[in-house]
Amino acid sequence: MALIEFEDLHMRYGGAAGRVVLAGASARVSRGEFVVVLGRSGSGKSTLLNILGGLDRPSAGSVRFDGRALFTLPDAALTRLRRARMGVVFQSFNLIPTLTAAENLRLPLALNRLADNGRVASWLARVGLEDRGTAWPEQLSGGEQQRLAVARALIHEPELILADEPTGNLDIDNARAVVALLDGLCREAGRTLVMVTHSREVAGLADRLLTIRGGRLVPVAD
Ligand SMILES: Nc1ncnc2c1ncn2[C@@H]1O[C@H](COP(=O)(O)OP(=O)(O)O)[C@@H](O)[C@H]1O
Ligand SMILES: [Mg+2]
């Protein structure tokens, strides 16, 4: 069964005469699947991920998450669904600079009213940061920050993980480590992963490759 299914998405920025970015993008992603989205710069990959994550509203088209139409939900319900059932990893880490590493992990638990029960410590350990819990994000290397961001995206056990060029700011060794973590942690828990990447090596790990061309999603033969 599809966890997320979107149909005929259109996105136009800047009014009627504005730029059309998505022009009929459709796909369905099954539970447990790892799908990579490719496409040249400016083709609409981040736009698509933001729509799937409920952060941006498409100009037209629908997104169904576990059978529910995302953009017909009231804002508060959409926010709750997104917080509880999705996790997001960005290229620029997006950690909260005024919170320590451990506090950054506590936040998604608090927002979802989940008790810690040792989860923060165990997730720090799973991403190799067991002795860095009291560090500030700026005291961590890029690779460490992104591993922390992976833990933050997964700690509340969301069903869908959206990752937008998560290795874009990392050197090759850190990029490999981050992708191996994301792939491994999602597979072991049967989570669904949709990742935008430029890396052919990363794309090789995916179950399915799609590319955005002319505002639509098309399958890539690998
Ligand atoms: N908020 C916005 N307002 C206006 N144009 C935007 C906005 N966000 C993205 N765009 C434009 O939409 C196009 C696709 O952007 P994006 O989805 O970020 O592409 P990608 O992630 O594939 O590089 C680009 O031309 C970009 O400039
Ligand atoms: Mg982008």
Side-chain angles (χ1 to χ4, degrees):
M1 194 198 125
L3 176 63
I4 191 153
E5 181 171 13
F6 50 97
E7 208 174 325
D8 210 19
L9 289 179
H10 286 69
M11 190 61 158
R12 177 197 294 277
Y13 287 113
R19 177 165 156 62
V20 174
V21 178
L22 299 178
S26 304
R28 41 191 307 166
V29 179
S30 301
R31 270 185 196 281
E33 210 180 359
F34 174 7
V35 171
V36 153
V37 178
L38 305 163
R40 61 176 173 69
S41 177
S43 62
K45 303 178 300 293
S46 295
T47 299
L48 175 68
L49 244 58
N50 289 341
I51 292 171
L52 300 186
L55 293 170
D56 272 351
R57 197 170 279 271
S59 313
S62 68
V63 177
R64 297 184 84 80
F65 180 87
D66 197 18
R68 294 166 85 189
L70 277 192
F71 295 106
T72 63
L73 295 173
D75 282 349
L78 177 56
T79 299
R80 272 199 307 276
L81 183 151
R82 201 175 66 219
R83 271 185 190 158
R85 302 180 68 181
M86 300 183 189
V88 185
V89 183
F90 301 94
Q91 178 172 354
S92 50
F93 320 139
N94 289 26
L95 298 163
I96 297 183
T98 53
L99 299 179
T100 65
E103 287 165 351
N104 267 278
L105 296 190
R106 239 169 251 139
L107 192 59
L109 297 179
L111 289 172
N112 288 298
R113 299 173 197 282
L114 296 168
D116 181 334
N117 288 334
R119 273 196 250 207
V120 167
S122 114
W123 276 92
L124 282 170
R126 290 172 92 164
V127 299
L129 296 172
E130 54 275 17
D131 50 5
R132 307 294 273 140
T134 59
W136 303 103
E138 65 177 19
Q139 296 174 317
L140 302 175
S141 71
E144 288 171 335
Q145 288 187 55
Q146 196 63 310
R147 294 193 329 258
L148 182 62
V150 166
R152 178 188 56 180
L154 289 161
I155 191 166
H156 57 298
E157 302 184 5
E159 294 147 85
L160 177 65
I161 290 88
L162 300 168
D164 192 354
E165 301 195 40
T167 63
N169 284 338
L170 302 177
D171 61 47
I172 183 73
D173 290 336
N174 280 303
R176 283 195 178 121
V178 161
V179 168
L181 260 178
L182 263 173
D183 183 38
L185 293 169
C186 289
R187 289 200 189 279
E188 105 193 10
R191 304 201 197 292
T192 308
L193 176 59
V194 178
M195 186 188 295
V196 169
T197 183
H198 287 296
S199 159
R200 276 277 153 188
E201 183 181 333
V202 173
L205 297 170
D207 298 319
R208 192 150 57 99
L209 304 182
L210 300 172
T211 189
I212 301 187
R213 195 170 300 141
R216 292 163 169 264
L217 274 172
V218 295
V220 182
D222 51 349

